[in-house]
């Protein structure tokens, strides 16, 4: 599997490899953001279980005194922060779905264009020996298979592992 992945990566340009790595690391950032969104509920849940939490926790007490909030305003802030973070994470997830689709389409276009241009540069005898059906099959089926069965799933596995 790794050998097939390395061979199929060789058909990609450096720019396309960078796009795929950016996508994989964006998923890492999404994973970190999701962890932060879950952890952001801890202060609010601690406040619900212990009403004196605002006055006992040094960090919250420092923030409360620094921004000059009352206890009621601090409760609203501790309730609002997790929801704001969740909204941000969901917008980032939406952006990541769009980015993944764009990168996949860019890869498809790049691979097909490069293969088509490669065939255009071949001499006349090459085209006589290889019929147009064979070349179209290589262009459409094999390039699609390389992308959809090897390259894109491999980077999705890498990205989701980081996630």
């Amino acid at each position: 599997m790794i050998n097939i992945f390395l061979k199929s990566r060789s058909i990609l340009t450096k720019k396309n490899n960078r796009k795929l790595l950016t996508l994989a690391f964006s998923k890492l950032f999404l994973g970190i953001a999701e962890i932060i969104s879950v952890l952001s509920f801890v202060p609010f849940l601690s406040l619900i279980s212990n009403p004196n939490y605002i006055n006992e926790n040094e960090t919250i007490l420092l923030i409360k005194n620094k921004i000059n909030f009352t206890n009621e305003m601090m409760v609203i802030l501790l309730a609002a922060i997790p929801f704001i973070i969740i909204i941000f994470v969901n917008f980032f997830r939406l952006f990541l779905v769009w980015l993944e689709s764009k990168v996949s389409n860019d890869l498809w276009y790049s691979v097909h264009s490069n293969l088509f241009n490669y065939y255009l540069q071949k001499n006349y005898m090459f085209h006589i020996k290889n019929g147009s059906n064979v070349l179209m099959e290589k262009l459409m089926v094999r390039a699609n298979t390389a992308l959809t069965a090897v390259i894109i799933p491999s980077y999705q596995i890498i990205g989701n592992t980081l996630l």
Side-chain angles (χ1 to χ4, degrees), residues 35-134:
I35 290 170
I36 291 170
S37 71
V38 170
L39 291 177
S40 68
F41 278 99
V42 172
F44 181 66
L45 294 175
S46 297
L47 177 66
I48 290 173
S49 65
N50 180 9
N52 292 329
Y53 181 73
I54 291 178
N55 297 322
E56 294 172 357
N57 187 299
E58 293 176 17
T59 307
I60 293 179
L61 194 59
L62 178 71
I63 293 170
K64 177 185 156 194
N65 291 333
K66 195 145 204 133
I67 56 179
N68 215 13
F69 272 15
T70 65
N71 282 351
E72 293 80 21
M73 293 169 74
M74 202 64 196
V75 169
I76 293 170
L77 180 66
L78 289 175
I81 287 175
F83 293 108
I84 292 169
I85 292 173
I86 287 173
I87 289 170
F88 168 76
V89 168
N90 283 324
F91 276 118
F92 186 71
R93 183 178 291 125
L94 181 67
F95 168 74
L96 204 56
V97 168
W98 172 82
L99 182 65
E100 192 170 5
S101 175
K102 182 179 180 340
V103 168
S104 296
N105 288 333
D106 289 349
L107 285 175
W108 183 91
Y109 178 77
S110 175
V111 167
H112 282 77
S113 298
N114 290 341
L115 192 56
F116 183 72
N117 289 330
Y118 172 78
Y119 288 147
L120 285 178
Q121 300 302 320
K122 290 295 189 179
N123 61 24
Y124 182 70
M125 287 308 292
F126 173 81
H127 290 283
I128 296 295
K129 289 178 186 176
N130 298 297
S132 61
N133 289 341
V134 172

Side-chain angles (χ1 to χ4, degrees), residues 27-39:
K27 286 191 176 191
L28 173 66
F29 179 72
L30 178 63
I32 292 169
E34 285 182 350
I35 290 170
I36 291 170
S37 71
V38 170
L39 291 177

